[in-house]
Amino acid sequence: MSSPPPLAGGAQGPDALRPLLAATLDALRDGAAARNGPLPAGGPAAVTDRLRAAAEPLLPERGTGPETALRTLVHALAEGAADPADPLCAAHLHCPPLAVATAADLAASALNPSMDSWDQAPAASALEALVTRALAALVHPEADALVTTGGTESNQLALLLARETRAPTGSGGPPRLVVGANAHHSLARAAWLLGLPAPVTVPAPTGTLDPTALGHTLTDLTAAGHTVLVAATAGTTDAGLIDPLDTIADLCATHGARLHVDAAYGAGLLFSDSRRTLLRGIERAHTVTLDLHKLGWQPAAAGLLAVRDPRDLAALTHRADYLNADDDTDAGLPDLLGRSQRTTRRPDVLKIAVTLKALGRHGIGALVDQVCDQARRFADLVRAHPRFQLYDTPAISTVLFRPRDADDTDIAHLRRKLLTDGTAVLGRADLGGRRWLKATLLNPHTRADDLAALLDLATPAPERPEGTTPR
């Protein structure tokens, strides 16, 4: 009988991994070279055909061996990837992960702690407790935080805690969620999943929640005896705009409403000495969503939910004798089930911890400042170009712009042509009754000539200066 394949863990694991890592890294390099741009060319059908040709059969009668399988499939995936490390890949809140965080993520996979009981994750559970409190302290000195898969899970947890933690005023019934028209779609979905009433939507005529309209809404809801959860946004998906958090917190305090801030995008500003003031008032929120796989340069997933009063987390208490029996907990074994809605979950905290230790707050803050400054420079390029219109000065690192002579259909077509050609990845947003191209700048290595190339590629093709060949 042949020996089973080697394992990644244990004292022998690193020796087994070393040749496989070499094959993997070679395949990543060669696949990126074959792609030769931010996106594979040809569109969905062509990408699928190339992937199928390389990958099949995926369940052969006899395997190819680990190195061949790695070289084949990693190369195929890299060749067909959208590469956020390419400066011309700038559509979404999709960051290029730091090499140090990615290396740490490999160690997490090799060790494979399962974060649902202490006997599966002794050191990882201790590390998670340290890291979550350190990050929560960026929001409020007494806060705690839970690790999540991202903004969607964090927002759902925030609603769950609001449902289970009754406000001191009101009827004690399920809370009414109040959101701005600019809020992320995950909030309405979370209300539906939790059996809460559909959100009350407050206008956001300038892209941020209107405090006057919010005040009227809170007056009406509290007069009717409702408990209320207000969800503000610090970094909208479309334009990166930040609601007036301090004013909203004042209104919530006046009306006895609970406040959640969805700062999945904007929370990275907390690392920056010069920009953290943009989030003034966030420390007054009961819960705050953070995503470090945006302005934190972590491989997904790396989300958190900060909770100002750690006692609110008691609502997540759950018992399963094989994981957190009462006598084990009484004997001092940490109870991990109340730290997540999930049971089995990987130690995403390790890559975060390594990054925090390696760069420190100032190092991460410097990266945040770099991409925000890039956005300002790109906005200046757009503003100075006679053929483009700028939506507004960027609040964080998102720039909305459009060719002046193009209609909404032209803009959608231009974006899809860039995607099909594989030359640039730009997003789209419909704001103010018009469609805009969206550049979300999250790559701190982007240079001035990359920004110029991005704007050149967004110029409608018939009007390009003759003889120019954009990348």
Side-chain angles (χ1 to χ4, degrees):
M1 181 178 178
S2 61
S3 299
L7 302 176
Q12 307 305 317
D15 292 332
L17 281 170
R18 192 165 283 110
L20 300 178
L21 289 180
T24 300
L25 296 174
D26 287 347
L28 284 171
R29 179 198 61 215
D30 296 344
R35 184 182 64 245
N36 191 31
L39 200 73
V47 172
T48 299
D49 287 345
R50 287 195 295 269
L51 189 284
R52 182 182 292 113
E56 289 188 338
L58 276 170
L59 186 59
E61 290 299 317
R62 295 185 180 278
T64 63
E67 291 192 34
T68 298
L70 278 166
R71 290 183 187 278
T72 299
L73 290 176
V74 174
H75 183 287
L77 201 65
E79 183 179 359
D83 185 4
D86 190 299
L88 301 183
C89 186
H92 302 287
L93 289 164
H94 179 200
C95 76
L98 295 170
V100 67
T102 305
D105 216 21
L106 167 68
S109 293
L111 294 168
N112 204 31
S114 183
M115 305 293 293
D116 51 326
S117 67
W118 182 86
D119 58 350
Q120 299 175 86
S125 61
L127 182 64
E128 183 174 274
L130 293 171
V131 170
T132 51
R133 291 189 185 112
L135 288 171
L138 292 174
V139 177
H140 189 281
E142 297 177 4
D144 195 1
L146 304 178
V147 175
T148 71
T149 54
T152 295
E153 184 186 352
S154 293
N155 286 341
Q156 183 177 347
L157 265 174
L159 266 66
L160 176 62
L161 293 179
R163 189 188 72 182
E164 298 302 310
T165 307
R166 298 287 185 253
T169 60
S171 67
R176 295 302 307 271
L177 172 63
V178 177
V179 301
N182 60 342
H184 194 264
H185 64 84
S186 63
L187 286 159
R189 192 179 193 197
W192 169 69
L193 286 168
L194 292 169
L196 299 175
V200 177
T201 301
V202 173
T206 63
T208 57
L209 189 152
D210 179 3
T212 301
L214 175 62
H216 295 322
T217 299
L218 289 176
T219 297
D220 293 343
L221 289 173
T222 54
H226 292 291
T227 59
V228 180
L229 169 65
V230 174
T233 304
T236 59
T237 303
D238 278 342
L241 302 178
I242 300 170
D243 287 340
L245 302 180
D246 227 11
T247 302
I248 292 170
D250 286 342
L251 290 167
C252 288
T254 297
H255 292 276
R258 188 177 174 93
L259 175 60
H260 170 65
V261 175
D262 178 2
Y265 182 8
L269 300 173
L270 292 169
F271 293 103
S272 167
D273 287 334
S274 61
R275 288 182 164 89
R276 63 179 293 119
T277 56
L278 295 172
L279 300 180
R280 185 180 289 110
I282 197 170
E283 72 283 354
R284 301 171 65 187
H286 294 80
T287 50
V288 177
T289 288
L290 307 89
D291 265 11
L292 295 181
H293 53 245
K294 295 181 173 67
L295 283 182
W297 294 277
Q298 299 298 294
L304 297 105
L305 178 72
V307 181
R308 190 178 72 191
D309 186 348
R311 291 174 298 183
D312 288 358
L313 297 177
L316 299 178
T317 300
H318 184 69
R319 290 293 178 198
D321 281 348
Y322 76 104
L323 295 173
N324 63 345
D326 288 342
D327 58 322
D328 280 346
T329 302
D330 291 343
L333 295 185
D335 176 4
L336 304 187
L337 275 188
R339 304 292 299 178
S340 178
Q341 295 181 99
R342 295 170 284 154
T343 304
T344 301
R345 58 188 179 93
R346 69 191 308 273
D348 288 315
V349 71
L350 177 59
K351 62 196 175 194
I352 299 171
V354 169
T355 302
L356 298 178
K357 187 79 169 175
L359 275 67
R361 185 180 66 81
H362 288 291
I364 300 172
L367 296 179
V368 171
D369 289 337
Q370 281 179 265
V371 296
C372 291
D373 289 344
Q374 287 169 3
R376 292 294 182 104
R377 286 192 289 271
F378 187 60
D380 289 343
L381 284 177
V382 173
R383 191 181 284 112
H385 198 296
R387 297 199 57 226
F388 284 93
Q389 178 184 357
L390 179 69
Y391 176 76
D392 202 354
T393 300
I396 306 179
S397 68
T398 298
V399 182
L400 300 184
F401 65 105
R402 55 178 284 139
R404 291 186 181 275
D405 298 331
D407 61 22
D408 289 354
T409 301
D410 294 333
I411 288 172
H413 175 76
L414 169 62
R415 175 180 173 271
R416 287 192 293 269
K417 185 176 188 308
L418 293 173
L419 296 179
T420 301
D421 293 345
T423 51
V425 189
L426 288 169
R428 57 184 281 175
D430 290 343
L431 285 176
R434 309 186 77 183
R435 181 162 296 153
W436 303 84
L437 293 171
K438 177 171 68 171
T440 308
L441 300 175
L442 294 179
N443 186 342
H445 291 276
T446 298
R447 306 181 307 271
D449 57 344
D450 297 318
L451 298 175
L454 195 60
L455 189 58
D456 183 54
L457 284 163
T459 304
E463 300 294 328
R464 291 190 192 282
E466 189 173 348
T468 63
T469 305
R471 179 183 167 193

